[in-house]
Amino acid sequence: MNFVFISPHFPQNYWNFCERLHRNGVQVLGVGDAPYDTLRQELRDSLTEYYRVDDLEDYDQVLRALGYFTHQYGKIDWIESNNEYWMELDARLRTDFNVTTGLKSDEIERYKSKSRMKEYYQKAGVPTARWELVRDKASALAFIQKTGWPVVIKPDKGVGAGDTWKIENEARLDEFFADRRDIPYILEEFVDGEIVTFDGVSGPDAKPLCAMSHVTPGSIMDMVNEGKPLWYYVDKTISPALQRAGEAVLAAFEARSRFFHLEFFRLLRDQEGLGKKGDIVGLEVNMRPAGGFTVDMMDFAAGMDLYQIWADMVCWGEAKHPCPKPSSYCVCASRRDGVRYLHSHQEIREKYGKVMKLESRLPPVLAECMGDQMYIVCLPDRRSMEKFHQFVHALAKEK
């Protein structure tokens, strides 16, 4: 099997995908913009060949890379980056090289456009916030008359929570229209809920081969746009309601043979037109792994290897390695440079070293959203989780 992996060096943990494919006997061909000698050794050892381009945004360069691989190794069987940023590039390459093991260009819209997603949620029987595409201030105000303040405005096609606006009054709406980029935006009623996910790998029948859930208490918009402390955790269980909603959405989107990261709200109060407190409401679908080190967190929580389960799916269409339920809560908390915290980096390491699974500096492209320094631990109960994130995020008193 010839598998072309786009940008295998970034994010930094993606070498694991290539290593597991190599372990399964796959011929892994990498295309990236990093010099070969900067790749970590494990990635180099996993690649049959690496083709460096100056710019992955330059389609002609990437096209030549795959033409070269085709000439050298024969027909390409898979093209994937597992990265939302390169999803359209992946699809375009599959279309041009007639690779059928993934989405092609005419199918990508339903996964990139938040407005297009709504019809598939409806097909799945999962409620979503009322919405419309932003046209002008008058139409926005007419929409708000129906929903009330606040509302949320975000790019109809976008990655993560960047450029997402919580609009609480007309002055803030004016600020949005003064600063908006020349791209389509979607306007939605505000949903008072915590974000819960349905994450994992699907098989050829669009059913999960392995699935877990992580929870983000608080507002992800405030964490990304206002720099508030970020923390989230892999849950020990998936509620029956979330399981049903996740499986229904996978089926509606016909999400076959790929990673999935489905985001939902769990309502924190009764909300007219959406449901009762605790009900599940659709937010967004992402047909790639959850961001940051979440795949590793799922592995830590359950003592498994989701990278290997994905590679098994690629090779055999099934999971040949176990997907047990998590035995602990795996928690990620991050901190931002320039903030005076009560406890030092060394104090965190000393207090939580025995349960620390991973600590890392994050590259600037991720740090803007997730923070500069992150810590991942496994803990037995919710009280321990709360104490951990409070210790990491406690601020020093002003002098």
Side-chain angles (χ1 to χ4, degrees):
M1 175 184 289
N2 293 322
F3 191 112
V4 174
F5 206 105
I6 304 296
S7 187
H9 62 287
F10 187 85
Q12 64 196 73
N13 52 335
Y14 273 27
W15 68 269
N16 287 281
F17 292 120
C18 297
E19 196 278 337
R20 303 311 190 278
L21 289 170
H22 176 72
R23 188 185 298 179
N24 279 3
V26 174
Q27 197 152 241
V28 187
L29 308 167
V31 180
D33 54 10
Y36 179 77
D37 58 8
T38 66
L39 305 183
R40 61 186 297 156
Q41 190 61 50
E42 296 94 333
L43 177 56
R44 292 193 222 177
D45 292 343
S46 303
L47 296 174
T48 302
E49 190 166 355
Y50 179 72
Y51 192 111
R52 181 178 181 267
V53 297
D54 296 322
D55 185 0
L56 283 168
E57 303 273 9
D58 185 335
Y59 188 72
D60 287 341
Q61 290 189 44
V62 181
L63 192 71
R64 284 196 294 272
L66 268 72
Y68 166 78
F69 284 150
T70 300
H71 177 74
Q72 290 293 110
Y73 301 101
K75 181 169 171 48
I76 296 168
D77 301 294
W78 279 77
I79 300 171
E80 187 62 78
S81 65
N82 277 336
N83 190 320
E84 187 172 358
Y85 188 85
W86 301 118
M87 182 177 280
E88 287 177 298
L89 172 62
D90 296 342
R92 186 176 178 185
L93 289 168
R94 292 190 200 103
T95 301
D96 286 347
F97 286 88
N98 194 29
V99 175
T100 59
T101 50
L103 300 167
K104 293 190 176 182
S105 293
D106 62 347
E107 302 171 298
I108 202 71
E109 189 71 12
R110 67 178 183 262
Y111 296 111
K112 296 291 290 183
S113 166
K114 295 174 177 63
S115 56
R116 282 292 307 277
M117 291 177 189
K118 301 290 186 177
E119 63 186 86
Y120 292 94
Y121 277 117
Q122 184 177 17
K123 182 179 177 181
V126 176
T128 61
R130 286 173 288 180
W131 66 281
E132 70 173 45
L133 292 176
V134 173
R135 299 192 301 278
D136 50 38
K137 181 181 175 181
S139 62
L141 286 173
F143 177 84
I144 293 165
Q145 281 188 334
K146 296 182 287 186
T147 64
W149 306 95
V151 291
V152 174
I153 299 178
K154 53 192 174 184
D156 189 42
K157 296 180 181 180
V159 179
D163 198 17
T164 297
W165 298 63
K166 183 179 179 181
I167 309 292
E168 297 171 312
N169 51 52
E170 191 167 347
R172 180 69 167 157
L173 188 65
D174 288 336
E175 184 181 343
F176 162 75
F177 277 104
D179 291 348
R180 65 169 291 181
R181 294 180 288 156
D182 187 22
I183 60 172
Y185 283 81
I186 185 171
L187 171 64
E188 295 181 310
E189 68 177 313
F190 178 76
V191 178
D192 188 5
E194 65 178 358
I195 294 179
V196 296
T197 70
F198 190 64
D199 293 313
V201 175
S202 65
D205 56 1
K207 294 180 180 179
L209 295 173
C210 182
M212 292 185 192
S213 175
H214 72 263
V215 180
T216 305
S219 169
I220 191 69
M221 283 190 295
D222 292 343
M223 294 174 186
V224 171
N225 297 320
E226 298 181 20
K228 291 189 176 180
L230 181 144
W231 77 285
Y232 68 99
Y233 62 90
V234 174
D235 210 343
K236 280 188 177 182
T237 59
I238 302 175
S239 72
L242 179 58
Q243 183 83 32
R244 287 193 299 271
E247 291 183 358
V249 169
L250 285 177
F253 278 87
E254 299 179 351
R256 300 183 180 92
S257 302
R258 62 183 306 105
F259 259 99
F260 57 84
H261 168 54
L262 312 183
E263 297 178 337
F264 300 89
F265 288 113
R266 182 157 53 208
L267 293 181
L268 296 174
R269 60 177 174 83
D270 295 356
Q271 194 162 344
E272 185 178 354
L274 288 176
K276 300 290 186 182
K277 180 180 179 180
D279 284 353
I280 300 297
V281 174
L283 176 55
E284 292 180 17
V285 302
N286 301 276
M287 293 304 161
R288 43 85 175 168
F293 289 92
T294 308
V295 173
D296 304 86
M297 291 171 63
M298 295 163 72
D299 285 350
F300 296 146
M304 65 174 191
D305 190 339
L306 191 56
Y307 296 104
Q308 187 64 58
I309 290 171
W310 171 82
D312 292 349
M313 176 277 296
V314 169
C315 293
W316 302 296
E318 59 181 326
K320 290 184 176 288
H321 290 73
C323 178
K325 291 183 178 180
S327 57
S328 62
Y329 294 97
C330 192
V331 195
C332 175
S334 68
R335 308 212 301 191
R336 296 185 183 275
D337 294 346
V339 177
R340 293 185 65 244
Y341 293 101
L342 178 62
H343 303 292
S344 69
H345 172 70
Q346 188 58 36
E347 286 175 315
I348 295 172
R349 297 181 72 180
E350 290 174 358
K351 184 174 180 64
Y352 287 99
K354 290 183 179 179
V355 293
M356 189 80 69
K357 296 296 183 180
L358 186 66
E359 59 173 274
S360 179
R361 295 287 297 175
L362 293 174
V365 69
L366 297 179
E368 183 177 358
C369 293
M370 300 188 67
D372 300 282
Q373 173 70 42
M374 64 97 206
Y375 305 91
I376 293 175
V377 300
C378 282
L379 297 167
D381 53 55
R382 293 178 184 273
R383 179 173 173 77
S384 299
M385 285 198 299
E386 289 283 349
K387 292 174 69 174
F388 166 70
H389 104 82
Q390 289 168 3
F391 188 87
V392 171
H393 292 144
L395 298 177
K397 293 182 178 179
E398 295 291 336
K399 294 181 180 180

